[in-house]
Amino acid sequence: MSVRILITGIGSVSSIGLTIEELTESILLSKTGVSSQTRLDSILARSLPTAQIQLSNEELQARIPNIDQSHIHSRTALLGMLAASEAVKMAGLSDHECKSAGLVNSTSAGGMDLGELFYADYLQDPNGGNLAFAQTHDCGDAAEQMAALLHIEKYITTISTACSSAANAMIHAARLIKAGICDIVVAGGSDAIGKFTINGFNSLMILSDEPCQPFDKNRKGLNLGEAAGYFVLESEASAKRRGAKALAVLSGYGNACDAYHQTASSPNGEGAYLAMMQAINVSGYKPSEIDYINAHGTGTQNNDMSESVALLRIFPDHLPPVSSTKAMTGHTLAAAGGIEAVMSVLALQHDWVFPNKNFKDAIEETGIIPVTELQINKHSKHILSNSFGFGGNNSSLLISAC
């Protein structure tokens, strides 16, 4: 008998909303978090548009009740704590129920923001620097701190597969539930912007000096963002036992690694194609039943072409409405699959199709024209949410109405 994976809670923090309620309001107003505002003392951060959350670490921490004040928390951990706490609260999980739940966290940056502070101090004095800052650098530190806050004990792990990380966290969580290892799993991803990420992506020459234009023929690159998106996933039996209301169903998922290049996607979209088809096949639905595609759509030359080719391979005759929300939130790296899956749940709940902001002209080779204005009263049953990472690690989630 197939085990349905229910979504009973969602939580998010991003440049367009610190809560699900704020995110919903921003979507209705088609707001963008991409701007020249920066909290970082960085030449690149001041010269390139980003989608930053304009709160300090101290201000974020003040929003988290019961946080362990004796521990130093990275920005990544703080964003994750806020979003995961909201998801747990929405799902109605008690501390006792959390103890027997699992946590699958994901991140790319980890505690780099505090690692940068430690390194700056160390350069001035090799015997100086706050070692507590360095100890948050590991990607697993955020998961440990989130688990402590939420009282999760049974299963704790971290996934880091670049921009597909949060989607892969949800895939791993679904498999834990189907295997009977956990009945309830909190899963998602969190990433913060730091000097390292901005300089690293700038060295790849894929950052745009203008607001990004996903799927536009004149696209110049991506805008970095920071966010966290988390889910409470549980078996249908668990939700029924708790009397929990399902928001949506994680009906399918797929991951494929084409290993074409360290950073670039394959020209024929092989990895993206395989991930999407696997998600569709796991769900048992047909490609013709997909109502909307929340695309990865970074605004880079390589990604948008590769994803477009893959989409046309799956939908050669009729492409469902497609758009990228990264012109609203920025590219939030490991958190992208989390925040975009959260938005996909909201699309199912509110009958929305999101706008692909800043689009003007189609890529000539593919001719795909994404949705450019927020569409309301557009009922969807099945939404495909794509997250494609470096090294060809590509993941797709199929999120369905209950």
Side-chain angles (χ1 to χ4, degrees), residues 215 292-295 311 319-324 354 356 368-371:
F215 298 109
Y292 166 54
I293 299 162
N294 190 336
L311 286 170
L319 180 66
V322 58
S323 65
S324 167
F354 300 119
N356 191 111
I368 291 178
I369 300 177
V371 175

Side-chain angles (χ1 to χ4, degrees), residues 6 31 99 102 123 216 265 277 294 310 314 323 326 354:
L6 302 187
K31 282 187 177 180
K99 282 186 178 181
L123 286 179
D216 193 284
S265 302
M277 283 305 303
N294 190 336
I314 297 173
S323 65
K326 286 184 173 64
F354 300 119

Side-chain angles (χ1 to χ4, degrees), residues 91-114:
L93 290 176
S94 66
D95 289 350
H96 177 72
E97 288 167 330
C98 281
K99 282 186 178 181
S100 59
L103 171 66
V104 183
N105 190 47
S106 68
T107 183
S108 288
M112 284 183 184
D113 64 317
L114 297 184

Side-chain angles (χ1 to χ4, degrees), residues 46 48 99 124 201 218 224 232 280 287 292 313 321 329 391:
R46 289 192 290 269
L48 295 171
K99 282 186 178 181
Q124 298 296 320
F201 275 81
N218 295 311
L224 285 174
V232 173
I280 293 169
Y292 166 54
R313 287 177 66 183
T329 64

Side-chain angles (χ1 to χ4, degrees), residues 364-381:
E364 293 174 353
E365 294 88 339
T366 61
I368 291 178
I369 300 177
V371 175
T372 56
E373 300 289 339
L374 176 66
Q375 295 186 1
I376 59 176
N377 299 322
K378 292 289 185 180
H379 182 66
S380 297
K381 289 185 178 179

Side-chain angles (χ1 to χ4, degrees), residues 231-269:
F231 287 72
V232 173
L233 303 177
E234 60 183 301
S235 67
E236 197 166 16
S238 172
K240 185 176 181 180
R241 183 169 58 249
R242 296 195 313 112
K245 179 184 177 182
L247 307 175
V249 181
L250 180 58
S251 57
Y253 44 80
N255 171 266
C257 188
D258 59 22
Y260 171 77
H261 185 271
Q262 279 188 315
T263 57
S265 302
S266 55
N268 67 349

